[in-house]
């Protein structure tokens, strides 16, 4: 694709040479300087090429030899490892599901082509017959989880109810797969089919308000930004629990001494008052509060005279 990042395109070309056997295990791959000269790119781009290939487990730095093809890639052209029955076909769906399992259990940072191949007990290079690269794998993962729950075949009456349903569906998906919020971009639209169906639903609901394209898009991006933004905090909290072994409540309790000293000072009277009264920090409640106020704002902006609606019972 013409829009493909140069470092990804170059990495794919080198990867193809390895797959075809032009570069064998132990052979040196083009150096960063050679990459800049051959492909006419900056040194930073050339460095990213090598970093991608190294992250995928295809190349490794070897003292005195430079960056070479790893020995494990030799298995890519051979038979399927014995641990995987020959009757079990390696498919894109299996690869995506294995990657989702890693992300759900250990976070997005631990998802790599090498790690997924290890879990499937196949050679890393064999994954590229089904998935072009890690970036595409992440998008396939997001598409899969957004396909786990479907918007209702029959839309509820009214734009507000439709937006409420859509926002809660996205929140539910992020709740189950917090890492997905990191994959989906707000500023760089991705051709993720199930996410496009979501956008289509929201935009159709906003069209019923009689909005022009600019207002529709502003409202859609603002709504999804609220859902995704809150979900990013959810993702960060899941990572923090995994790293520290403590829940949010347990972590706050562990900070009591320092917090009491700060909030007890005259410098922060309002924070001191809140600490004294107590506040139940709950991301579900924060999400719901923000969503309903956002919908109130859209109603006030585009339906003057409309009273704030009471959120549906859940």
């Amino acid at each position: 694709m013409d829009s493909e990042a140069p470092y990804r395109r170059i990495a794919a070309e080198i990867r193809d040479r390895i797959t075809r056997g032009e570069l064998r295990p132990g052979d040196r791959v083009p150096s960063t300087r050679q990459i800049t000269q051959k492909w006419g790119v900056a040194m930073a781009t050339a460095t990213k090429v090598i970093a991608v290939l190294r992250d995928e487990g295809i190349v490794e730095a070897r003292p005195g030899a430079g960056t070479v093809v790893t020995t494990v890639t030799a298995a890519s052209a051979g038979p399927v490892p014995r641990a995987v029955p020959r009757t079990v076909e390696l498919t894109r769906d299996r690869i995506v599901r294995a990657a989702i399992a890693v992300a759900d259990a250990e976070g997005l940072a631990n998802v790599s082509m090498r790690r997924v191949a290890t879990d499937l007990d196949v050679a890393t290079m064999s994954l590229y017959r089904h998935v072009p690269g890690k970036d595409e794998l992440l998008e396939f993962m997001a598409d899969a989880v957004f396909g786990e729950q479907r918007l209702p075949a029959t839309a509820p009456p009214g734009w507000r109810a439709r937006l409420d349903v859509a926002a809660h569906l996205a929140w539910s998906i992020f709740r189950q797969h917090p890492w997905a919020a990191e994959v989906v971009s707000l500023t760089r639209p991705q051709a993720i089919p199930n996410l496009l169906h979501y956008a289509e639903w929201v935009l159709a609901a906003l069209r019923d308000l009689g909005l022009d394209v600019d207002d529709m898009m502003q409202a859609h991006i603002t709504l999804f930004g609220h859902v995704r933004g809150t979900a990013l905090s959810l993702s960060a909290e899941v990572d923090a629990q995994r790293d520290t072994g403590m829940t949010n409540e347990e972590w706050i309790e562990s900070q009591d001494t320092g917090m009491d000293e700060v909030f007890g000072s005259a410098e922060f009277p309002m924070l001191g008052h809140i600490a004294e009264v107590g506040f139940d920090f709950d991301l579900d409640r924060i999400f719901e509060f923000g969503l309903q106020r956002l919908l109130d704002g859209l109603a006030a902006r585009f339906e003057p005279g409309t009273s704030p609606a009471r959120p549906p019972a859940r």
Side-chain angles (χ1 to χ4, degrees), residues 8-27:
R8 292 176 56 196
R9 174 173 50 80
I10 298 168
E13 291 184 30
I14 297 174
R15 189 188 305 119
D16 287 343
R17 291 183 61 192
I18 298 172
T19 302
R20 292 194 301 268
E22 294 179 16
L23 291 172
R24 305 296 299 174
D27 288 350

Side-chain angles (χ1 to χ4, degrees), residues 13 29 67 151 172 270 298:
E13 291 184 30
V29 298
T67 302
L151 289 159
S172 176
M270 286 308 304
L298 290 177

Side-chain angles (χ1 to χ4, degrees), residues 191-204:
I192 299 175
N194 283 313
L195 197 58
L196 295 179
H197 284 303
Y198 171 91
E200 185 71 17
W201 169 286
V202 171
L203 291 171

Side-chain angles (χ1 to χ4, degrees), residues 242-300:
R242 187 182 297 114
D243 293 341
T244 65
M246 293 188 290
T247 65
N248 175 262
E249 292 78 10
E250 291 170 339
W251 181 86
I252 290 176
E253 289 177 2
S254 73
Q255 306 297 309
D256 272 353
T257 302
M259 292 293 187
D260 287 345
E261 183 177 334
V262 172
F263 292 159
S265 70
E267 188 175 358
F268 305 106
M270 286 308 304
L271 291 175
H273 173 67
I274 293 171
E276 182 179 354
V277 173
F279 172 71
D280 181 17
F281 187 92
D282 185 312
L283 277 174
D284 288 305
R285 292 179 59 210
I286 290 172
F287 162 74
E288 190 65 38
F289 180 89
L291 171 63
Q292 298 308 323
R293 301 300 74 74
L294 193 157
L295 296 178
D296 287 344
L298 290 177

Side-chain angles (χ1 to χ4, degrees), residues 81-193:
R82 286 176 297 173
V84 178
R86 292 180 182 276
T87 55
V88 178
E89 181 184 2
L90 183 63
T91 63
R92 190 177 82 179
D93 183 66
R94 284 191 65 216
I95 295 169
V96 170
R97 288 299 166 187
I100 290 173
V102 174
D104 285 347
E106 303 175 27
L108 198 63
N110 287 291
V111 176
S112 68
M113 300 295 274
R114 186 192 311 189
R115 170 58 191 278
V116 173
T118 298
D119 284 4
L120 291 173
D121 206 359
V122 298
T124 302
M125 291 299 293
S126 65
L127 270 58
Y128 292 99
R129 300 169 190 160
H130 308 277
V131 179
K134 181 179 176 180
D135 289 344
E136 290 84 359
L137 174 60
L138 296 179
E139 291 188 6
F140 291 150
M141 291 164 61
D143 187 46
V145 298
F146 264 88
E148 291 176 354
Q149 300 184 47
R150 299 287 183 179
L151 289 159
T154 302
W159 66 269
R160 180 167 184 143
R162 293 179 68 178
L163 296 188
D164 186 89
V165 166
H168 279 96
L169 178 135
W171 177 247
S172 176
I173 291 169
F174 288 139
R175 253 297 187 191
Q176 294 181 48
H177 309 283
W179 53 265
E182 300 177 53
V183 176
V184 178
S185 175
L186 191 67
T187 57
R188 301 191 176 192
Q190 300 144 299
I192 299 175

